[in-house]
Amino acid sequence: MLSEEELQSNVSVASSPTSNCISKGGGLKVHNYFGLSDSSSVESSTLSGNVEDDKATISLKATELTLGLPGSQSPARETELDEKPFFPLLPTKDEIFSSSQKNIASGNKRGFSDTMYTEKNWMFPEAVATQSVVNKEVTQNIPKGQLGTLNNSSSPPAAKAQIVGWPPVRSYRKNTLATTCKNSDEVDGKPGSAALFVKVSMDGAPYLRKVDLRSYTNYGELSSALEKMFTTFTLGQCGSNGAAGKDMLSETKLKNLLNGKDYVLTYEDKDGDWMLVGDVPWEMFIDVCKKLKIMKGADAIGLAPRAMEKSKMRA
Amino acid sequence: MDLRLPSKVLEHILSFVDSNEDRNSVSLVCKSWFETERRTRKRVIVRNCYAVTPAAVARRFPEMKSLTLKGKPHFADYNLVPDGWGGYVWPWIEAMAAKCPSLEELRLKRMVVTDECLEKIAASFKDFKVLVLTSCEGFSTDGLAAIAVACRNLRELELRECIVEDIGGDWLSYFPETLTSLVSLDFSCLDSEVKLSDLERLLSRSPNLKSLKLNRAVSLDALGSLLRLAPQLVELGTGSFSDKLDQEAVAKLSQAFSELKELKSLSGLWDVLPEYIPLLYSVCPGLTSLNLSYATVQMSDLVELITRCSNLQKLWVMDLIEDKGLEVVASSCKELRELRVFPSGAGLDETNVAMTEQGLVYVSEACPNLESVLYFCVQFTNTAMVTIARNRPNLKCFRLCVMEPFAPDHKTQKPLDEGFKAIVERCKDLQRLSVSGLLTDKAFEYIGTHGKKLRMLSIAFAGDSDLMLHHLLSGCESLNKLEIRDCPFGDTALLENAAKLKTMRSLWMSSCCVSFGACKLLSQKMPKLNVEVIDEHPLETRPDSSPVERIYIYRTLAGPRLDMPEFVWTIHKNPEIGVSHLAIK
């Protein structure tokens, strides 16, 4: 068979130990790719043989060059699996080994076979004529029980977005929801700009939320909305006082905020600095605010002087 | 000693047999029963439009009044089937126009429908009554105008989540003044505004109208006047729910809603503002179906509505409802049968993290009739699934979408094998299952062992090896539709269980490692299957060992189809033809 020669000359560098399509790691076991010839009478054992092969190749695995992204070898997880299953990708059109550099930039997760997209960022091991692999582990770098920090991590979301058709939501729904945000703004009489969702996290809360900054017209509205969301959020002071005034938070209110209150509302601006909410006019605030965080008053003390300074300078 | 029933008698008996499954059995008894049955069947359902030719169907059922067709595979909903793959309804309409001109109803799902098709329908079927298009595409509002103008006895026109080239809202004005038979109108997926006066006049002369689903362009203000013209509605899909209305308008609208004494189903509610939620309170107690999946309001507002819906059987909502909201669902909606929770964010990043597995656990505990679940969630646990299975062994449909591929049990970091094991073990009547999260081959061993009634199974990013597929194909006796994406199995299990594929409607595999060679072999072994390779790259020059992008295998009496685009390949059945020429288009 043609393929046998191919397989023999191309020692597989990183192989899927679980598939009969290609030869196994160190011990070149050539299978007829139909899976039928010499193993036809014992096909069930071929299948169960996979499990043993898995274990046999584990020791070889350590010495193998793999195609994991640099830095993608996450610590072994405590599961029953000895072998982290490999996840094959498809070869590029010209069977060229395309560099993994493209995928590094896209974060922890490799693009899965995004065959619908014209750009083909596929990995292709030079040796294996048929398949390339990616370590599935790469995607399991999520620290245990820290979903909150996951969202705050710096891993860019671009990689996740590359998975075609995932999550399995109909494009009709996706498109409808995308325009839902726009529409609600147009109706409010604002110029048709997209909704401005920012994440709101709170120290000690098990989850984070998102709010659309454009759905509020002043700090008071924002504060009372957040108060509703985070029941232990105690910026209510601002909410009840600020309801009357539509202008920005005054210095006095800010002071009240900080004196003896359990929590303060802070935001991360475009420069990545954490600032106290309320020191700039509302319109400017929604322009620069990237994230919101409800911090314990104690933690926010470092911020206060700066914010006060800024507002003093403006006054 | 002719003991045969006179065919007239048999005909009469068969007129009481409605279910097509029963009729299929009847047709297998003997030739004369086959004949009588086929001449009397009115409602024909073809669940894969390529399984049989239009001519054959038209020939067999000449008295057909209603035809239901499904085209593209289910994963087409998620953009996994390239445009142009197929699913054209034209040949069917041509055949029916010639052989079954008394056709009255056409229901199509995931098919390509052109304006030409719609015009042909309008021209060919004199008594056409029902057109329901679900997830279809390829036509424009001009085609709708053709239907509107010509079908004098039109009863139902429903466009459910179709992709329509929207040229304008004029099509509605083509309904003649003489049309008074309308029972159901659904144009919710269209963008353009229709003329309000046309719509009002249509409603005024449609006393039988029971179901009306407006599109987003219909304003809240307009809704009031429309509802006053159709207080008999049983199903209502509102338009946009967000104009600023003055006091008087609000009062009028509230009054209009309270007049809807028959209303059972409510949907639409796009852009709904929280302050308008109370407008809906009056209809809540009567609702059995509520679709809030486009209502982007927070949990507290959703809950206000839901506490009042004690008779709800079907609830579609977004994860904005959160665990707390689902707790309220659990305590308020004891009649709940179907729950669908959709993600509110566009991507994995933006999911609402305040909704966890706990929400579903609440509902499973408190709603004894819950049998159908679709749940998008960031993470899940085995314990939760075990609890849910224990609470609700009567589940028939369980579709869990853990949004993060390969996500393990977030408490134990173990695969979700044990959770799904509990589901298939306990829920003996489970017919549909979608799995997600981190799963090993073990999970599929469990499914194969216990999922005996399972008919449809959807899998993504799961499993370790060929064993996975082997377990499913050898174990799941009732398996009818299997769709798999991004799983690491290869040829072995597929070839070994090839015979199983004859008993199934279809198998879809994308981004797995099935080789071109295996496809060829399978195609040769199984002549009654169409093995379609959907691959952007030319196959002729490929080595047999190279994996293919997507495979769609389905049983068929029609042989390879003739309308395949460039990127769809079928393997020639003739083994004499050399290897390099095996694939034909």
Side-chain angles (χ1 to χ4, degrees), chain B residues 214 338 341 553:
Chain B
L214 306 166
E338 177 181 325
V341 181
I553 303 172

Side-chain angles (χ1 to χ4, degrees), chain A residues 27-87:
Chain A
L28 268 176
K29 233 183 285 175
V30 176
H31 292 277
N32 175 309
Y33 61 79
F34 289 148
L36 290 184
S37 62
D38 38 25
S39 53
S40 56
S41 56
V42 286
E43 275 190 318
S44 50
S45 66
T46 307
L47 283 171
S48 56
N50 283 338
V51 178
E52 280 133 34
D53 283 342
D54 287 356
K55 300 204 169 117
T57 51
I58 288 167
S59 49
L60 289 167
K61 202 176 116 52
T63 55
E64 275 180 5
L65 288 173
T66 67
L67 285 170
L69 293 168
S72 69
Q73 296 300 320
S74 53
R77 290 175 26 252
E78 289 134 29
T79 67
E80 292 156 9
L81 305 169
D82 287 319
E83 173 81 57
K84 301 299 180 293
F86 286 119
F87 183 82

Side-chain angles (χ1 to χ4, degrees), chain B residues 78 184 271 319 362 544:
Chain B
Y78 315 129
S184 168
D271 325 316
D319 58 13
Y362 289 141
D544 281 354

Side-chain angles (χ1 to χ4, degrees), chain A residues 10-251:
Chain A
N10 297 321
V11 176
S12 74
V13 172
S15 63
S16 162
T18 57
S19 166
N20 279 340
C21 288
I22 57 171
S23 61
K24 305 288 193 249
L28 268 176
K29 233 183 285 175
V30 176
H31 292 277
N32 175 309
Y33 61 79
F34 289 148
L36 290 184
S37 62
D38 38 25
S39 53
S40 56
S41 56
V42 286
E43 275 190 318
S44 50
S45 66
T46 307
L47 283 171
S48 56
N50 283 338
V51 178
E52 280 133 34
D53 283 342
D54 287 356
K55 300 204 169 117
T57 51
I58 288 167
S59 49
L60 289 167
K61 202 176 116 52
T63 55
E64 275 180 5
L65 288 173
T66 67
L67 285 170
L69 293 168
S72 69
Q73 296 300 320
S74 53
R77 290 175 26 252
E78 289 134 29
T79 67
E80 292 156 9
L81 305 169
D82 287 319
E83 173 81 57
K84 301 299 180 293
F86 286 119
F87 183 82
L89 288 175
L90 300 173
T92 56
K93 188 172 185 170
D94 311 318
E95 301 195 353
I96 296 166
F97 178 80
S98 52
S99 152
S100 62
Q101 265 69 27
K102 275 188 238 171
N103 286 335
I104 292 172
S106 58
N108 290 337
K109 206 169 277 189
R110 270 179 222 224
F112 292 99
S113 50
D114 48 350
T115 53
M116 292 303 295
Y117 291 174
T118 49
E119 212 199 4
K120 308 228 193 274
N121 293 336
W122 292 332
M123 298 298 300
F124 193 82
E126 56 197 285
V128 179
T130 57
Q131 288 157 33
S132 56
V133 298
V134 69
N135 189 340
K136 193 158 86 176
E137 244 187 350
V138 163
T139 63
Q140 290 152 4
N141 286 333
I142 303 159
K144 186 169 158 174
Q146 286 175 45
L147 219 41
T149 54
L150 168 72
N151 283 303
N152 290 336
S153 75
S154 54
S155 62
K160 291 182 185 177
Q162 275 173 17
I163 307 175
V164 179
W166 190 265
V169 174
R170 289 189 184 172
S171 28
Y172 175 81
R173 173 169 292 278
K174 281 189 195 157
N175 297 340
T176 304
L177 283 178
T179 46
T180 296
C181 302
K182 281 197 204 119
N183 278 359
S184 56
D185 297 321
E186 282 160 17
V187 164
D188 283 346
K190 294 185 185 119
S193 48
L196 196 58
F197 279 98
V198 296
K199 293 180 181 147
V200 189
S201 59
M202 177 169 162
D203 280 348
Y207 49 77
L208 53 79
R209 305 295 304 278
K210 291 186 74 166
V211 291
D212 174 10
L213 288 183
R214 289 203 200 279
S215 61
Y216 311 109
T217 53
N218 57 49
Y219 286 111
E221 282 182 16
L222 173 64
S223 152
S224 44
L226 290 178
E227 191 183 4
K228 269 210 268 182
M229 281 184 200
F230 293 93
T231 48
T232 53
F233 185 32
T234 54
L235 200 54
Q237 202 81 324
C238 165
S240 48
N241 291 344
K246 288 194 176 33
D247 34 31
M248 65 177 176
L249 221 50
S250 69
E251 276 189 28

